Amino acid sequence: GGGDEGDAGGGGGASGTIAVDGSSTVFPFAQAAAEGFGQENPGARVTVGESGTGGGFEKFCAGETDVSNASRPIKEEEIAACRKAATRYAELQVANDGIAVVTNPGLKVDCLTTAQLKELWNTGSDVKTLRELDPKLPDTELSLFGPGTDSGTFDFFTEEINGEEGATRKDYQPSEDDNVLVQGVAGDGGGLGYFGFSYYEQNQDKLNLVGVDGGGGCVKPSKATIQDNSYKPLSRPLFMYVSDKALVKPQVKAFLDFVIANQATVAENAQIVALTPAQLERSRQALSRLAPA
Amino acid sequence: MSARRAREVGFHGVLLGCLSLSVLLLGLLLYDVVSDGASRLSVDLLNRFPSFDPQRAGLESAFWGTVWLMGTCAAFIVPVGVATAVYLEEYADRERWWNRLIEVNVQNLAAVPSIVYGILGLAFLVRGPLSLGRVVLAGALTLGLLVLPVVIIAAREAIRAVPSSIREGSLALGATQWQTIWRQVLPAAVPGIATGVILALSRAIGETAPLILVGAATFVAFNPSGLDSGFTALPLQIFNWISQPQPEFKVLAAAGIIVLLMLLLTMNAAAIWLRNRYERKW
Amino acid sequence: MTDGARLHFQDELARLEERALDGLDMVVAALDRAVGALNSQDIDLAQLVIADDDRIDGRYMEVHQGLLSLLATQAPVAGDLRLVAALLHVIKHVERMGDQCVNIAKMVPLDGSSPPIDPKILEQIDRMAAYVRTEVEQAKRCFALRDAELAEDLVRQDDVVNELNRDVFGLALDIGDDADRREWAMHMILVSRWLERIGDHAVDIGEQTAFVVTGLFREFSDASHPEGR
Amino acid sequence: MTDGARLHFQDELARLEERALDGLDMVVAALDRAVGALNSQDIDLAQLVIADDDRIDGRYMEVHQGLLSLLATQAPVAGDLRLVAALLHVIKHVERMGDQCVNIAKMVPLDGSSPPIDPKILEQIDRMAAYVRTEVEQAKRCFALRDAELAEDLVRQDDVVNELNRDVFGLALDIGDDADRREWAMHMILVSRWLERIGDHAVDIGEQTAFVVTGLFREFSDASHPEGR
Amino acid sequence: MVTTDRAPSESGVAAPAPAEQIFELRGVTVSYAGVPAVRDISLDVRAREITALIGPSGCGKSTLLRTLNRMNDLIPRARVEGSVRYHGEDLYAPGVDLVQVRRRIGMVFQKPNPFPKSIHDNVAFGPRVLGMDGDLDEIVERALRRAALWDEVKDRLKANAFGISGGQQQRLCIARALAVSPDVILMDEPCSALDPISTSRIEDLMTELKEDYSIVIVTHNMQQAARVSDRTGFFTVDPDDRAGRMVEFDVTDRIFTNPADPRTEAYVTGKVG
Amino acid sequence: MVTTDRAPSESGVAAPAPAEQIFELRGVTVSYAGVPAVRDISLDVRAREITALIGPSGCGKSTLLRTLNRMNDLIPRARVEGSVRYHGEDLYAPGVDLVQVRRRIGMVFQKPNPFPKSIHDNVAFGPRVLGMDGDLDEIVERALRRAALWDEVKDRLKANAFGISGGQQQRLCIARALAVSPDVILMDEPCSALDPISTSRIEDLMTELKEDYSIVIVTHNMQQAARVSDRTGFFTVDPDDRAGRMVEFDVTDRIFTNPADPRTEAYVTGKVG
Amino acid sequence: MEAATVFGAARPRYGERLIRALLFLAALLSILTTVGIVASLLRETVAFFGDVSLVDFLTGKEWAPLFADPKFGVWPLVNGTLLVTGIALAVAVPLGLGSAIFLSEYARPRTRRVLKPILEMLAGIPTVVFGYFALTFFTPEILRGALGVDVQIFNALSAGIVMGFMVLPTIASVAEDAMSAVPQSLREGAYGLGANRMQVSTRVVFPAALSGIVAAVILGISRAIGETMIVLIAAGQIANTGVNPAEAYETMTAFIAATGKGDVPTGSIGYKTIFAVGFALFLMTLVMNALSIRFVRRFRQVYE
Ligand SMILES: Nc1ncnc2c1ncn2[C@@H]1O[C@H](COP(=O)(O)OP(=O)(O)OP(=O)(O)O)[C@@H](O)[C@H]1O
Ligand SMILES: Nc1ncnc2c1ncn2[C@@H]1O[C@H](COP(=O)(O)OP(=O)(O)OP(=O)(O)O)[C@@H](O)[C@H]1O
Ligand SMILES: [Mg+2]
Ligand SMILES: [Mg+2]
Ligand SMILES: O=P([O-])([O-])[O-]
C-alpha cells in the first residue's frame, strides 16, 4: 500500500505519504513538484520513483502508488489490469515533451522530413549515410542512437514516424539512459539519434539539433514549438494519473492541487515544457471534477 | 644460470606490472571521481534533500536511507546468517540429503545475480505474500537475502576455524551442545563473523540493480522514520543524478560516490581492524 | 620449578639404592652370625645364617628387578644411568657376599661334633672378620655418600685383610700333623679365603662408587697387578 | 618392511654380545695357560696369563661401557634390556674369571723353585680344569644359543667340579707332614677353589641365559640350599 | 635345587591398593559407519592407578578412550557394542545423562585446547555451565593448585589463556577438568604437542594426581607409558580386518621388561612397523 | 695400583673416520631484528657423521641450523655474524650463489612438506628447477631407492604425494633432497610429526645415509639424538640475555653417559625445566 | 533405570531441542529463498512459454521481443553475456592472478598489508561508477583516444575491460588468500632445493593453491555474468550475435534491468520476457556453480 492515512491539516499543513512513480520523462517535473509541495507542507512525505511509464502503471493499477506519471496515455492492457484490480483513475496532463532529433556537430544536417526519418528508421532500413536520403547531405557513415525499446519515447517515436509502435530498424544503438545517448551521439562522428528534448537543452554545445518537417515546413523543437504543438509530429503531452482511492487521501489531493496551481513554475524548475493556458485549464477542470464531495 | 636469473627478473617485472596496472586503473577511476566530486563535498551535502536544482540538492535522505537499510539488513542477516551457519556447522548431519541440499543451495544463492534478487524482492516482499510495499523493510530484506549467502559462508568459515578441540574441551566438561556453541564457539568466531557481515554489508551498500527492480523511489525528501517508511539510498541517488541531463548533477553524483566510498572505507577499516585485532592463530 | 621433575623416578631410584645398601647391613649381620657360629660352634646360629640367605637372595632379586624396571620404564641416562648400572653390580655383590657367609656358616659341623680348635687361627679369623665387617660398612658408607676417597681407602683396608689371609694360611700350614686339626685348619683357610672375598666385593663396591662419581672406570686393585696382592 | 628397524641398535647389541662371549674364549685360553703353567711350573707362561689379564680387563671395560652407551642412547626394553643387563653380568663374570686365572697362575713360584708335587692332586686339578673349561665353553654356547636347557645342564657339570674340589681337599689333607708338600697342597686347595669359582661364574652365566630367555629369575644352585653343595 | 621363580610383576614397585574397578569393559567393539575400529576389548581400569593404552597409529586407542566418556557420541556414525561399565553401571544404558558422564569422567586432549578466555574463566567454565555451588574463585584456585599451576599464574588470572606456554596450557586444561571434580581423567596423548620439559612436568602431575583420581592415558610415546603408568594395554591392528585388538594388558613393568606376547615385545623393542 | 682411566668416548662405538670438516662455525651469532637468538657458537660438523643439536625450546637450534644453508635469508630482519665456513669457504661471502648453496646443502623440515604434485614430480622438482642433466626418471628412481621408499611407491609414482602416509611423505622429502645430489642434509625435527614406527624408519634411513652424506639434525627428542647421532651439541637459553648458547659439544655417547657440564647432565636426565 | 544412581536422573533438555529447531528454520530460509526465486520467475516464465515456443527461445538467433515483429531467440543475449564476461575474464584473470602472486610471494609484508585492503575496498565500489567510467572515460579517452581503437561508443570491449577491473580485486583478493594459505613449509621446501622465487611461485605455490584460485576465478565469473549496471550503461543494447568486441551488445542482465525499468505494460509479452530471461540467467549461474562446486571439490580431494 501507499502508506498511512494522513490528516488534512490546515493551509500548508498537508501530511502523510504520497507515492508517485512512473515515467522517467516526467520524473524531473514530478520531483520539482514534490519538492515544492514538500516545502509548503513539511509534514508531507512524497516519494517519486522512475519506473518508467509501463512500470508505473503496473504499480499504479496494483494500488501501490497514488500517482502515476506517464509519457503517453494508458494502454489497453494497462486499463485491463487496472480494471481487474478495481482501480479507478483519472488522467491529468501536466506538461509537454518533445523528441529532439540530433546529430554529432560534425555531421552537418539542418532538417529532415518525416518521410526521410521514416526511411532512415523504419523496419528493415539499411540506410548507411544521410546521402542516401538526400544527395546534398554528407556521406559520413551513420551511427544511430535511440532509446531502448522499453521507453515511452521509443513507443512514441516509432508510432509517429514509422506508423506502428515498435516498428524500427534494429541496428541502432539503444539505451534507456538519455545521457548515454547524448554521449553516444556526441562521441561518434557519424552519430545521429533521438531522445527527450530536455537532454538536448542540457547538452546544446555537444549536439547539432535537426529540424523536422512534418509537412508544414521545417521546425526545430523549442519550448515554444513544443508547447504550441507546431513541432510536429514529435511533440507529446505528459500525464499524471491519480486513482480514486488515492484521492481520498487529502494529501494527495493537496499535492495535485499544488501541481496544477504551480504548473508553470514547476515546469520551469524541471526544465520541462509547461502547459499552454488551455491545456492547463483542461487539467484544472479535470482535477476539480475528480474532487470528492 | 643467468638465463634463469633473467627469467626471474622478467617474471617479477610482469607481476609488478599486473599489480601496477590494476592499481593504476582503479586509481584513475578514483581520481576521476574525486576530481569531479570534490568541489561539492561538504557538510551541506548531507544536510540537504534531493532537489531539481543541482545547487540545492543533497543526499540527506539517501544517506539516512542507506543507514537504515544497512542497519535493518544487518539486524536481519546477522541472526539468520549465523543461525544458518551454526546449524550447518554444528548440527547438520551431512549424511542427510536435506542438509546437503541446504549447503549446496547456499553456495548457489551466492552466485545468483543480484538482479534476480530484485525480481524476488518485488514478487515476494513488496508484493505477493508479504506485500510490504516499497519500504525500508522490503529493501533491507531484499538486500539481506542477496548477501545472506555471503554471511553464511563467512560465518561458517569462522565457525569452522574454531578448532574442534575447543568444542570437545567444552563438551568434556559436561557443557551441553548449545552451551558449547553459545559460550565457546560463537564468541571465538565473532571476529570472523563480524568481518563477514561487514563485507556483506559493503556489498549490499553499493547494490543498485535490485533496488531499482524492487522499485525504490529516487526522489525522497525526507529521512526514513521507521521500517515501514519509504526510502531512497545512496547508489540510487547517484544513479539518478548520473541520469540527469544537467552536468551539475554529474558533479553531485561524483560527490555522492565519494560519500559512498567513504562509508565503504569506514566499514572496511572496521573489518580490517577487527580482523587484525582478533586474528587468532589456533 | 625443577623440584618436582621426574620425582617418581628419583624417588624410586633412591629407594632402590637404599634397599641395595641395606642389603649390605644384612650381609654384616650374616657375617657376624657366621663368624660367631664358627667361634661357638653354634649350629642353630649357623642354620640361621643359611636360612637367612634366602632373604638376601630375595633382596637381590627385588633390587635387580626394580633396577631393570627403572631401566625399562625410565630410560635413565648420564649420572642416573651410572647409578643404576653400579647398583646392578652392588646388589650382585651383596648376593655373593651373602653366599660367602653361608659358606662360612657351613663350616660349623652339622653333627655337633667339636673339631679341635686352634685359638691363634680363630683369633686371626676373628680379626679378619672384624676388618671385613668394617670394609663392608665402609663400602656402604662411601657409596651412600658418593665419597670416592673413602672408596679408595677401602684398598688399604683390603690390604690388611689380604695380609691376615696370608697369615691364616701360614698358621694353618704350621698347625701340625693331627689330621682333625689339619682338616679344621684347612677349613679355616677356606673361611679366610671367603672373608677375603667378601672384602674383595666391598672393594668392588668402592670401585662402583668411583664410577658413579667420576664416570670413569678404574680398578682399584687387580689380580694381575702386583700391588694389589 | 621391518627388517631395517633399529638396525644399528641390534647390530651394536649383537656386536657387544659377541665381544662379551669372546671374553669367555679369552678366559678359556687363560685357564689353559694357567693350569699348564702350574703343571710345568712355567714361569713365563704364568707371567703371560698375568699380563694378558689386562686384555680381559680391557674387554670388560669396553663391553661394559658399550652396554652403558646402549642403555643411555638406545633405552632398550624387554628382551633387549634383559640381554643388556645379562651381558653386564656376563662381562663382569668374564673379568672375575680372568682374575681367578691370574690367581692360579700366581701359584707358580716366581723364584723358579720347584715345589714338591703330588701327581694325584695335580691330576685331579687337571681333571677339574678340564671340566671347568667345558663349563665355560658351555656357558658361552648356551648363552649364544639362548639355550636354557643347556644352561641348566651346567649345574650338573658344576656338581662334578664341586665333587672334584672336595676330592682335592681330601687329597691335600692326606698329603702327609712334609711342610713343603703341605704348602704346595694348600696352594692346590686354593687353585681348586679358584677353579670351582670359575665354574660358579659359568653357572651364573647359565642363570643369566635363563633370565634372558624366560625373563624369570632363577638361581640354579645356591649356597644356602643343601642340594647345591 | 630349588628354583625361586618369581613373576617380576610381583616383586615390582609398590603393589596396587585393593583393586577398586572404575571401568569394566567386556567385549567392546567400536565401529565407525559399520567398520570396526577396535574389536572385542575387555579390560578393567582400577581406581587410583594410571592405565596406559599404547600401540601403533590407527589401532583404536583414541577410539577406545573416547568410548569411556561417550565422546564418540559426537561422531554421527560411531557405534559401541559390548558392555562398558562404570562403577558397575552400564555407561551406555538408555537414559544415562551425558552431561553427568562427562562431568564425572574428565578428558584432556592431545593439543592443549584452552578456551579463548582468561585463565580464570577457563577453569570456571565447567563449574559455571554445570551450575555448581560454591565460591567460584575458590574452586578455580583449588583446581589450579591441584594442577600445580597456581603459583605460576596466580598473578595473572585475568590474562588470556593463550599467553601462557604450551605446557602451562596443558596443565590449565587439566585444572579445567579438575574443577568439575571428576572421578576419572582420560588423556589422549596429552604431551605429544609439548617439549620434553613440559612433558615431564605433566608426567609428574599425573603421578601426583593418581593419589586422588584414576587416569587413563593414550600415548604414542612408549617411554611415557613406561614412565608413568601402572598398567599398560598394548593394542595392535589386526592385519585381517584392519580393526584394533588388545594384545596384552598387564602391569607396566611387565610389559616393558618381560611381555607375554611376542607382538608386544616386538613393538616395545621397536622391532615392528 | 695402576688406574686404567679411559674416557668412555674413546672406548665407544666405531671411532669416526679421519675427520673431514664440512662446516666450521666460529663465533656465530644470529639475530632477528637485532635481538640475538643464538650467540657465539663455534662448532665443527664432520663429514659422514650425524651431528645432533638438542636443547630446550627457543634455544636457537633451528635458527642455527637454518644458518647453515642460508635459509634465514628468507627472513627479512635476520642477521648472521661470525664465520660460517663450508668446506673451508665463507658461506656468507658476497657473491655466494644461494641456489648452489641450497643445492649442496639439502634441508628436511619438521612437518613433511611434499609439494601437491605426484610422487615422481616431487622428486623431479629439484633436478628440474636446477636444470640438471640426465635421465629424470633415473634420478628419481635413484633418489627414491636411496630414501628407502622405492619399493613402497614404485607402482604409483604418478599418484599424488598426499596419498601416502606421513612417514612415507617424510622419506619422500628426503628423497627430494637427495635428488639434487647434496653433500649435507639438514633436518629440523624431521620426526616430530611422525608416529614411533615411522620415526624409527627415518632414523634407520639417517643411519644408512650417513655413509654418503653428512647430516645435521635438530631434535627435541633427546632419545633420538642419543639413538642416531655421532656427535651432539647441547644448547640452552642464557637466562641473562635470553639468547641461545652452546653448553657442550661432544661425542653423543659421552653426552649421554658422562657429560662434562652439569647443565647438560641436568637436561639429559630430565632434571631441569 | 540403573544409571540413575551414578549419574542422577537424566533430564530431558527441551531447550536444546527448541534451539536446534529454530536454527534449522533459519537454515530453511535459504531454501525458501531459492523456492521464492524460482516461483517468482517461473510463473511468468511459464506464461511466456505459453506464448513463445521453447524451441524458438533456445534456437532462435534473433532477439527483438519489443519490436513490432517480435523475435524471441535468446541466443544474442547469451552471446552478449558470454562475450562481455569473456573479455572481463581476459583482463581480470591474468591481472588478478598476477597481482595475487605479487602480493603473496613478492611484496614485503608491509606493502601487502597496505595494498590488500585497498584492493578489497575497490571490490566494493558501486558498479554504477564503473559503468560511467567505462562510457565517459574509458571508451573515449583510453580506447579511442590513447589506444586509437575504432570502437562504437557502446561496445563490449570497453564494458568488458572495465568489468574486468571491477572483478579483478575480487579475484586477486580471494586468490591471494588461497596462496597465502599455502604453508610456508612448502616454500621453504622448494627454496631448500635451490628453486628461485619465480619457480617457487609458479611451480609450487600456484599449483598448491589451485583450488582456491579456481574458486576465485569462478567467483569472478559469477560476478561478471551477474553484473548489470556496467553493461546497462556501457555495452549498449543491441542484441548482437557477432563476436566483434568493438560493437554494442545486450546482455541478459542489461535486458532485464532496462526492460524492468521501462515501459512494458504488465502482463504483456514484453513483461514476461523479463522473467524468461531472468530464469535463463538463473539456470546459467546454477549450472556454472554446479560445475564449480564439482571442480573445486575434485581439487580439494586431491590436494588436501
Ligand atoms: N571419526 C571417525 N570416522 C571414521 N573412522 C574413524 C574415525 N576416527 C577414527 N577412525 C578410524 O578408526 C581407527 C582407529 O582410530 P583411532 O583414532 O582410534 O586410532 P589411534 O590408535 O588413536 O591412532 P593414533 O595413534 O594415530 O591417534 C582408524 O582406522 C581410523 O581411521
Ligand atoms: N623469524 C623470526 N623472527 C624473530 N624471532 C625469531 C624468528 N625465528 C625464531 N625467533 C626467535 O629466536 C629464538 C630461537 O628460535 P629457534 O626457532 O631457533 O629455537 P629452537 O631452538 O629451534 O626452538 P624449538 O625447539 O621450539 O623449535 C626464539 O626466541 C625465537 O622466538
Ligand atoms: Mg589417537
Ligand atoms: Mg626449532
Ligand atoms: O520513462 P518513459 O517516459 O520513457 O516511460
Side-chain angles (χ1 to χ4, degrees), chain F residues 2-145:
Chain F
V2 161
T3 60
T4 54
D5 290 14
R6 290 204 200 180
S9 54
E10 270 140 51
S11 68
V13 196
E20 183 197 333
Q21 232 81 290
I22 295 279
F23 288 109
E24 246 179 55
L25 277 67
R26 290 293 172 269
V28 171
T29 296
V30 190
S31 322
Y32 295 110
V35 182
V38 283
R39 195 191 274 279
D40 196 20
I41 307 294
S42 300
L43 71 89
D44 291 343
V45 173
R46 300 199 198 182
R48 272 163 277 287
E49 275 196 4
I50 299 179
T51 303
L53 311 180
I54 63 169
S57 196
C59 64
K61 308 178 293 293
S62 305
T63 299
L64 191 70
L65 191 75
R66 296 162 61 92
T67 307
L68 300 183
N69 70 340
R70 298 194 57 177
M71 212 60 174
N72 280 336
D73 286 23
L74 297 178
I75 297 167
R77 303 201 51 204
R79 211 175 111 72
V80 176
E81 286 154 298
S83 126
V84 181
R85 296 193 161 268
Y86 170 68
H87 285 298
E89 283 174 29
D90 185 356
L91 202 59
Y92 282 80
V96 165
D97 183 355
L98 278 193
V99 167
Q100 278 307 313
V101 166
R102 295 192 184 137
R103 177 216 171 128
R104 303 281 311 269
I105 306 169
M107 190 155 196
V108 174
F109 300 82
Q110 180 161 7
K111 271 176 54 189
N113 59 347
F115 303 133
K117 299 172 181 283
S118 71
I119 292 171
H120 176 277
D121 287 356
N122 259 278
V123 183
F125 181 88
R128 276 193 186 129
V129 298
L130 293 169
M132 278 168 65
D133 308 328
D135 181 358
L136 213 49
D137 287 343
E138 213 172 80
I139 294 177
V140 169
E141 176 171 345
R142 205 175 331 120
L144 284 171
R145 278 192 194 283

Side-chain angles (χ1 to χ4, degrees), chain G residues 248-268:
Chain G
Y249 290 82
E250 181 160 37
T251 70
M252 299 168 84
T253 50
F255 172 79
I256 295 172
T259 310
K261 190 175 168 295
D263 193 37
V264 235
T266 318
S268 68

